[in-house]
């Protein structure tokens, strides 16, 4: 696929460039840092709010869609409630997912905005990129435009064991209020869910 070749070249060039230290974010939202009050101030009340208990913690999901979705987006989903070393923070953004309108985020715009990915791969025919700063981008099958962008707190990249296939970038799988995750193993379907324990 063309996208994999382009990313491979970019990854090679990135070896000489120091990596950024901050969390990935968009539209003033940073997973693990932004509060529900800040989201409401910036985007207003959500279209839909769901509350649930996850591993004994009260979490909230806000969905912005239709005329409440940010400009250029079909939908924005924000999951609130994050377990940090000093305790559970129900008001913090744990993860948020953007579903852009078609052609909104071409590959070049993603790399211009967030830099060279830490890893790239193919998930069930959908090219994807993983950023340690906390971003997973899944593209449409041709690899030209982003279909979903999942933002999490920074996630360390774990190298595959010797002889194992490198992990492809994919969104975290389980819905838990934990702060960390690692990229899933090859063959795991891409999913815009929250970080796993």
């Amino acid at each position: 696929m063309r996208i994999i070749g382009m990313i491979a070249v970019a990854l090679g060039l990135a070896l000489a460039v120091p990596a950024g230290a901050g969390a990935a974010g968009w539209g003033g939202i940073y997973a693990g840092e932004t509060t529900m009050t800040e989201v409401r101030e910036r985007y207003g009340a959500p279209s839909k709010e769901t509350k649930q208990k996850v591993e004994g913690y009260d979490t909230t999901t806000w969905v912005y869609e239709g005329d409440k979705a940010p400009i250029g987006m079909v939908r924005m989903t924000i999951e609130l409630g994050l377990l940090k070393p000093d305790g559970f923070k129900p008001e913090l953004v744990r993860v948020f997912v953007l579903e852009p309108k078609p052609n909104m985020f071409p590959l070049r715009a993603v790399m211009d905005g967030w830099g060279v990915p830490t890893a790239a791969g193919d998930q069930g025919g959908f090219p994807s990129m993983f950023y340690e700063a906390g971003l997973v981008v899944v593209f449409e099958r041709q690899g030209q435009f982003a279909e979903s962008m999942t933002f999490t707190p920074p996630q360390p990249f774990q190298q595959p064991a010797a002889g194992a296939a490198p992990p492809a970038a994919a969104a975290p799988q389980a819905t838990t209020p934990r702060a960390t995750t690692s990229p899933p193993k090859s063959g795991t379907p891409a999913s815009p869910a929250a970080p796993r324990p």
Side-chain angles (χ1 to χ4, degrees):
M1 286 188 138
R2 197 180 106 191
I3 185 173
I4 303 302
M6 290 173 60
I7 294 169
V9 169
L11 286 172
L13 295 174
L15 295 177
V17 179
W26 179 88
I29 304 175
Y30 296 87
E33 299 174 16
T34 305
T35 65
M36 72 169 41
T37 301
E38 292 167 329
V39 172
R40 190 180 293 273
E41 286 172 358
R42 183 172 291 268
Y43 295 101
S47 310
K48 182 172 34 173
E49 178 176 322
T50 306
K51 294 187 180 282
Q52 65 179 351
K53 220 175 243 312
V54 177
E55 292 187 1
Y57 297 102
D58 292 320
T59 65
T60 305
T61 301
W62 284 355
V63 177
Y64 291 84
E65 58 189 347
D67 61 348
K68 293 212 173 208
I71 294 172
M73 300 299 139
V74 171
R75 181 178 301 107
M76 176 172 70
T77 303
I78 299 175
E79 295 188 19
L80 300 150
L82 180 65
L83 185 60
K84 296 196 69 119
D86 60 340
F88 182 70
K89 309 293 182 191
E91 76 286 352
L92 278 183
V93 172
R94 177 176 70 252
V95 64
F96 70 99
V97 181
L98 299 176
E99 295 174 50
K101 290 182 177 175
N103 307 329
M104 186 66 189
F105 278 107
L107 171 64
R108 179 82 275 168
V110 172
M111 292 182 70
D112 285 348
W114 289 275
V116 177
T118 306
D122 184 274
Q123 292 295 311
F126 293 92
S128 53
M129 299 189 312
F130 169 81
Y131 291 82
E132 282 185 307
L135 171 60
V136 175
V137 183
V138 178
F139 294 87
E140 42 73 40
R141 287 190 187 277
Q142 287 72 39
Q144 296 179 20
F145 299 98
E147 280 197 344
S148 73
M149 303 172 75
T150 302
F151 294 82
T152 69
Q155 307 295 323
F157 178 71
Q158 297 177 354
Q159 291 291 341
Q173 297 297 309
T175 305
T176 69
R178 306 248 179 206
T180 60
T181 189
S182 59
K185 298 177 179 83
S186 289
T188 304
S191 167
R196 65 178 148 189

